[in-house]
Structures are given as structure tokens and as C-alpha cells.
Amino acid sequence: MIGPAAESPVLETAALTRRFGSIVPVHHLDLVVAQRAIFGLLGPNGAGKSTTIKMLTTLLPPSSGTARVAGYDIVREPWGVRRQIGYVPQLLSADGALTGYENLLLSARLYDVPRADRRSRIDEALAFMGLEDAGHRLARTYSGGMVRRLELAQAMLHRPVLLFLDEPTIGLDPIARHAVWERLRESRRQFAMSVVITTHDMEEAEALCDTIAIMHGGRVAVQGTAAALRNQLGPGATLDDVFADVAGGSIDEGGSYRDARSTRRTAARLG
Amino acid sequence: MTPVAPGAPPHASARTESPAAFARHAAAIFAVEMRKMVRDPTDLFTRAIQPVLWLVVFGEVFSRTRAIPTGNLSYLEFMAPGVLSQSVLFSAIFYGIAVIWERDLGIVHKLLVSPSSRGALVFGKALAAGTRALAQALIIIALTLVLGVHVRLDPLSLCGIALAVVLGGALFSTFSFVIACVVKTRERFMGIGQVLTMPLFFASNAIYPLVMMPPWLQVVARYNPLTYLVSILRALMVQGGMASEGIGLDFAVLALVFTGFVLLAARLFAGIVR
Ligand SMILES: Nc1ncnc2c1ncn2[C@@H]1O[C@H](COP(=O)(O)OP(=O)(O)OP(=O)(O)O)[C@@H](O)[C@H]1O
Ligand SMILES: [Mg+2]
């Protein structure tokens, strides 16, 4: 199969929609993610971020509309999409009954990493994520930060063109979070990888993402660089303000925005 | 540059997996499941206790009453293959719980976004469950010998027994897998698992011959895969035992039903994360 032309986006959705009965968590979504971009998908709880990612990773068929991911159509060519992407679900998904090494070995085998390369590729991945000393321990003995790094290593082992991360830094301390950001930037440099990431952490969005889309009620409310979004709202506006403007009243109900804000304060204090 | 991963094969978008890729991916899943079993084998032993209790208590009592016509076999000899089949059924029928557990942990999500086919994932897991049933069968057979039941030990019978146990374990675990994909929650699964096990066990020839059953139950038993597993094991394990329809046919039925369940589970697997 021939890949798309050099400048074509790595991800493009066309009126992507998902219904669950009367709920429409994703409504006629049109997103474009450029190659090598780190794209932030933000929005209050229930905005439809995870549902969007599940469709783009072929876990959930769209009710209507479609998307092209790394040159393949998610509805007609999900097999092609799966080879090109990596995915870290919102849940902690490493298998605790296996060691870090064994978790990675399973991924290597399912993604057809050639046998001769597996060992070196896995050792490299463990070292890259700072897990070389923990590789032969059961993953259930890992800290939350170590599990997340293991999952990133797993999702990137086959050198995906596009990586989907659903709240990858939730529950991580600021240092662990910064370590994850650094790894993502480094992988983009090395492998020309693009990233779609969801987060409730405005600092993360600001620091990491080239482009931010804030979803609300299944639609993209605003989109652009962090600076553009801030300037759009007015002088001195923060990304928090932009988020609050989009999410409207729902901020008062949802706990996670507050949580994100307090985490951010902690992060700022600890540097 | 084209956004195609280095090393991605040219058939990356091919709809079907080659048989070699199917085997590789199934083997990867199988290896992981085996690793887990070897790491924590306590389950195998605790689950062997119940069947042995059946043999000792139920078997000894009914041997004395001679209430059940078992031809030229002692009741214990008649029952031992049934109890072994029971252990295969009981350990496999709750396999779906593990699948739901892995779904709740997000492990299933990761398997499903990988390029391996759902069929390969299901088949690898089924084979692992069958092998687990075999490990347990070895423990039970050893205990049966200790109880003084004469079990055939020639290599050919043993191979046949092993094959039947693996096939039976794979079949019932995949059946369980299908249920897990449909009900999706642990609570509902436990309810259905409990409801299914006993009828599957009693509507079979495991502890009494088919001829003892009322006609309608005989019909049910003929549609019960457990009956075919019991037939094979009874023919192979016990001196002088006879398969009702011939072992070949019994194996064919089990293989066919297993294939059906694998296809069904492969279809339904992705639904478990929706
Ligand atoms: N399988 C499902 N069945 C019914 N409704 C669902 C299902 N999955 C998601 N929803 C609904 O769709 C909406 C969007 O959910 P989604 O998980 O995509 O939100 P989110 O943006 O990821 O939120 P969060 O920030 O809390 O993770 C919610 O109202 C949710 O209840
Ligand atoms: Mg979510």
C-alpha cells in the first residue's frame, strides 16, 4: 500500500459520530492532526474524548462518519490502522502477573517485531523508559509511574506512526510527568511519531501540545495553539479560562477540573 | 516521508492474517498464559480437590448401593472418567471471568488494537485453558490411581486422553469466553456460570449412563458436548470401557463445536470493550 503524500495529515476525521442509544458522545467530529504533531484533546468529563479515541484506535465502530489514520480508513481498513498506531488506554493496562520484560515481549510478538530484534528492542525500550533495573520484576510490584512508563514502552515498541494516549499522566507525580513528556518529545524527534493525547491538566496541554482541541458535548468547541486560544479569549487569559469558557457551568459539577488545577499548583510548587 | 512504520509488511492492510501469522500470534498468547500458570500453580491443586471428593464420597457410596447399572465396570471405574470430565468443565466454565477481569484492567484493549486477528487471540487463550485442564487432569489421574481405580496407562490411550482433555478444556473455556463477551460484567457472569454448570454436568453421561435417563434428558445429553468428552475418556481410561458411538465421531463432534465457539468468540471479542 502506498502511504499518503508528504504533507497529508496523519489523522483526519470526517463527521465522525458515535451514539449510544439516545446519548451522542461524539457528534460530527472533524479533526485534523498534522504529521509529527502532539495534539491535545481536552474537555470536561463526558465530553467524548475516550469515545473518540476508541473509534480512532478501531476498538469502537463509528455510528456514522469515518476517519483516516496513518493513511488507512478506520472503518474499511482497521487492520491497516492497527499496524500503524500505538495506544495507552485510560485504564492501567500492563499485565501485573507478568514482568515488564514479558509484557514487552508479548507486544513484540503480537506486532511481529522480528525475532532477531526483539531482545535488543525490548532492552532499549526498558532503558529508554528508565526501567532497566525493574525489567524482570512483576509489573504488579511497580509504582504508578513505572507502570505508565512500561505502557508507553509497550505502545511504542513497534515504532507506531501515531500514538494515542488517554490521560497518560493521571496520578503521576510532577517528576514522573515531566519524564513522560520528555520521552514523548524524544520519540517524536527520533521516529517522526505523532501523538494524540487527552488530559485534564492544563499545564500539560500548554507544555506538551502543539495544537489543542477542547471538546464539549461531543463537538470541538475551540481549536488552535495554546497561545492562540488564550489570545482569542482576551488579554491575560489563561488556558484554564479558555477551558472554563468552553465547559461553562459543568466545571462546578465535575471534580476533575478542580483536581487538575490542584495538581497543577502542586506541580508548580515542586518545580 | 510516508507514514508507514519501518518494517511494516506490504500487506499491512490485508484483511486476513496468513496462517503463519495466526500461529505466531496464538503462540504468543499461549506462551504468556502458560507463564502465568507456571508462576502460580496453586489453583491447579485446589481445583483438583473437588473432583477427588466426588470420587471418594459419591463414588464410594454409590459403589456400595449398586443402584446404577454400569455393565462390567465397577461404579468407581465408571465414574472416574466422568469426574475427570467434570473437572475439565468446572475449571473451564469460569474462564470468562478472567477475560472480564482483563477487560476491566485494560489488557484486552491492548490486545484488540494489536494487528493480530481476534481468532488468533481467542485460539491462543483456548489452547492455554486446555493445557491448564490437562495439568489438572494429570493430578486427578494420579489420585485416581491412588484410590485403586484401574486406569489404562499405555502410551496411545494416554495421548488420546490428553488430546481429549485439551480439546474439552479449550471448548468449554471458549464457550465461557463467548458468555463473557455477551454479559460483560462479573456479577452477571457469575450468575450465568452457576446456572449453566450443574445442568451441563447432570445432563450428561458423567455419573450415570444415558440409558438411565428419561427420554427427553437423553436428547439433551446428546446435544451436550460433555457427553462426548465423557465417552472418549471412558473408552480410553478404563479397561474394557466402550465409546457409545466410536471415539472418532466423539472427537469430530468436539472439534466441530470448538471451532464454532472460536469463530463466535472471535466475532464477539471486540464487543467486550464497547
Ligand atoms: N459504552 C457506553 N455506553 C453508553 N454510554 C457511553 C458508553 N461509553 C461512553 N458513554 C457515554 O459517552 C459520554 C462520553 O464518554 P467518554 O468516556 O468519551 O468521555 P471522556 O471525555 O473521556 O470523559 P473523562 O474525562 O471522564 O474520561 C459519557 O456521557 C458516557 O457516559
Ligand atoms: Mg476518558
Side-chain angles (χ1 to χ4, degrees):
Chain A
M1 295 294 130
I2 296 152
E7 287 312 307
S8 65
V10 70
L11 166 68
E12 191 165 14
T13 71
L16 192 65
T17 301
R18 177 70 206 197
R19 290 186 199 86
F20 291 111
S22 61
I23 308 171
V24 190
V26 179
H27 193 92
H28 282 273
L29 196 68
D30 293 304
L31 284 180
V32 178
V33 176
Q35 288 184 33
R36 288 165 165 265
I38 298 185
F39 187 94
L41 205 52
L42 276 56
N45 294 126
K49 304 180 297 294
S50 294
T51 307
T52 302
I53 287 198
K54 279 188 186 168
M55 286 191 281
L56 296 175
T57 52
T58 75
L59 285 176
L60 188 67
S63 304
S64 63
T66 189
R68 285 189 83 74
V69 174
Y72 296 98
D73 187 287
I74 59 166
V75 177
R76 290 199 319 272
E77 308 165 297
W79 309 275
V81 173
R82 285 183 206 129
R83 284 206 172 272
Q84 306 296 331
I85 62 167
Y87 171 50
V88 177
Q90 190 166 350
L91 306 151
L92 286 178
S93 62
D95 193 331
L98 299 174
T99 65
Y101 188 91
E102 289 161 357
N103 268 291
L104 286 162
L105 183 61
L106 176 61
S107 292
R109 296 182 69 177
L110 291 181
Y111 282 89
D112 300 312
V113 174
R115 181 187 288 271
D117 298 349
R118 278 181 208 153
R119 221 206 142 84
S120 60
R121 192 84 79 87
I122 293 171
D123 286 340
E124 214 175 277
L126 284 169
F128 183 62
M129 291 295 167
L131 293 170
E132 55 272 70
D133 296 331
H136 293 285
R137 259 166 56 195
L138 291 185
R140 74 162 72 96
T141 68
Y142 285 16
S143 73
M146 290 164 79
V147 172
R148 272 312 191 196
R149 278 181 281 148
L150 173 60
E151 291 181 320
L152 281 172
Q154 244 187 310
M156 288 164 33
L157 197 67
H158 58 289
R159 311 270 156 82
V161 170
L162 177 56
L163 185 61
F164 290 96
L165 306 173
D166 202 348
E167 300 192 30
T169 58
I170 196 161
L172 297 195
D173 71 49
I175 297 161
R177 222 153 33 109
H178 281 99
V180 167
W181 298 350
E182 209 25 70
R183 295 295 174 268
L184 291 176
R185 293 193 190 107
E186 179 58 30
S187 304
R188 166 165 66 172
R189 264 196 299 278
Q190 276 188 27
F191 310 115
M193 183 182 74
S194 315
V195 181
V196 171
I197 180 172
T198 76
T199 181
H200 288 297
D201 179 349
M202 296 303 133
E203 188 205 357
E204 177 162 279
E206 181 109 41
L208 190 62
C209 303
D210 319 306
T211 309
I212 293 170
I214 304 184
M215 286 182 75
H216 186 48
R219 301 161 197 265
V220 172
V222 291
Q223 182 174 338
T225 63
L229 293 181
R230 280 191 271 102
N231 294 338
Q232 240 166 29
L233 195 65
T238 64
L239 203 52
D240 278 353
D241 299 329
V242 178
F243 188 96
D245 187 52
V246 166
S250 64
I251 278 180
D252 295 325
E253 300 149 28
S256 75
Y257 174 68
R258 271 177 222 288
D259 292 348
R261 206 157 47 168
S262 71
T263 325
R264 192 172 54 81
R265 287 213 196 88
T266 319
R269 205 169 51 238
L270 297 181
Chain B
M1 164 246 90
T2 55
V4 170
H11 59 273
S13 71
R15 186 196 165 107
T16 50
E17 199 174 32
S18 70
F22 182 97
R24 277 199 313 272
H25 296 150
I29 295 291
F30 177 77
V32 156
E33 298 289 321
M34 285 299 103
R35 186 61 66 99
K36 290 193 219 174
M37 183 180 88
V38 171
R39 193 161 278 154
D40 187 11
T42 45
D43 221 37
L44 290 179
F45 290 96
T46 51
R47 280 171 191 267
I49 293 171
Q50 196 195 12
V52 171
L53 284 180
W54 271 83
L55 269 184
V56 173
V57 180
F58 196 82
E60 292 287 350
V61 170
F62 274 75
S63 291
R64 270 163 228 275
T65 59
R66 302 185 177 282
I68 295 174
T70 53
N72 51 355
L73 300 176
S74 79
Y75 186 68
L76 266 185
E77 284 168 347
F78 177 84
M79 192 189 172
V83 167
L84 183 57
S85 310
Q86 180 205 40
S87 84
V88 171
L89 169 68
F90 281 19
S91 67
I93 203 74
F94 288 103
Y95 188 73
I97 285 284
V99 179
I100 292 176
W101 171 253
E102 290 191 346
R103 193 278 314 271
D104 291 346
L105 290 176
I107 295 172
V108 165
H109 298 66
K110 253 201 309 226
L111 297 179
L112 287 173
V113 297
S114 81
S116 55
S117 69
R118 279 83 166 109
L121 300 173
V122 170
F123 188 74
K125 282 183 177 287
L127 215 54
T131 308
R132 171 176 272 276
L134 179 60
Q136 201 171 311
L138 294 178
I139 298 172
I140 292 166
I141 289 175
L143 290 167
T144 315
L145 288 173
V146 171
L147 289 177
V149 183
H150 299 286
V151 176
R152 267 201 230 170
L153 290 176
D154 63 289
L156 203 61
S157 300
L158 279 179
C159 287
I161 293 168
L163 187 62
V165 166
V166 171
L167 188 54
L171 185 157
F172 288 113
S173 67
T174 311
F175 176 50
S176 179
F177 197 120
V178 167
I179 296 171
C181 292
V182 173
V183 303
K184 295 182 187 178
T185 71
R186 236 173 290 186
E187 295 71 24
R188 276 182 288 187
F189 185 95
M190 285 312 281
I192 291 189
Q194 310 277 14
V195 166
L196 280 175
T197 340
M198 281 303 157
L200 275 172
F201 180 50
F202 286 112
S204 81
N205 54 352
I207 50 172
Y208 30 70
L210 289 181
V211 291
M212 272 188 74
M213 300 178 183
W216 67 269
L217 195 56
Q218 284 189 31
V219 173
V220 174
R222 293 229 162 260
Y223 282 98
N224 183 352
L226 191 66
T227 298
Y228 297 85
L229 178 61
V230 175
S231 297
I232 296 171
L233 293 181
R234 194 158 282 149
L236 292 178
M237 275 175 73
V238 192
Q239 294 282 4
M242 282 284 288
S244 49
E245 316 261 349
I247 290 185
L249 182 67
D250 292 333
F251 267 114
V253 169
L254 291 184
L256 198 69
V257 174
F258 173 53
T259 309
F261 280 142
V262 168
L263 293 176
L264 191 58
R267 268 197 84 85
L268 297 175
F269 194 10
I272 201 171
V273 300
R274 281 174 202 159

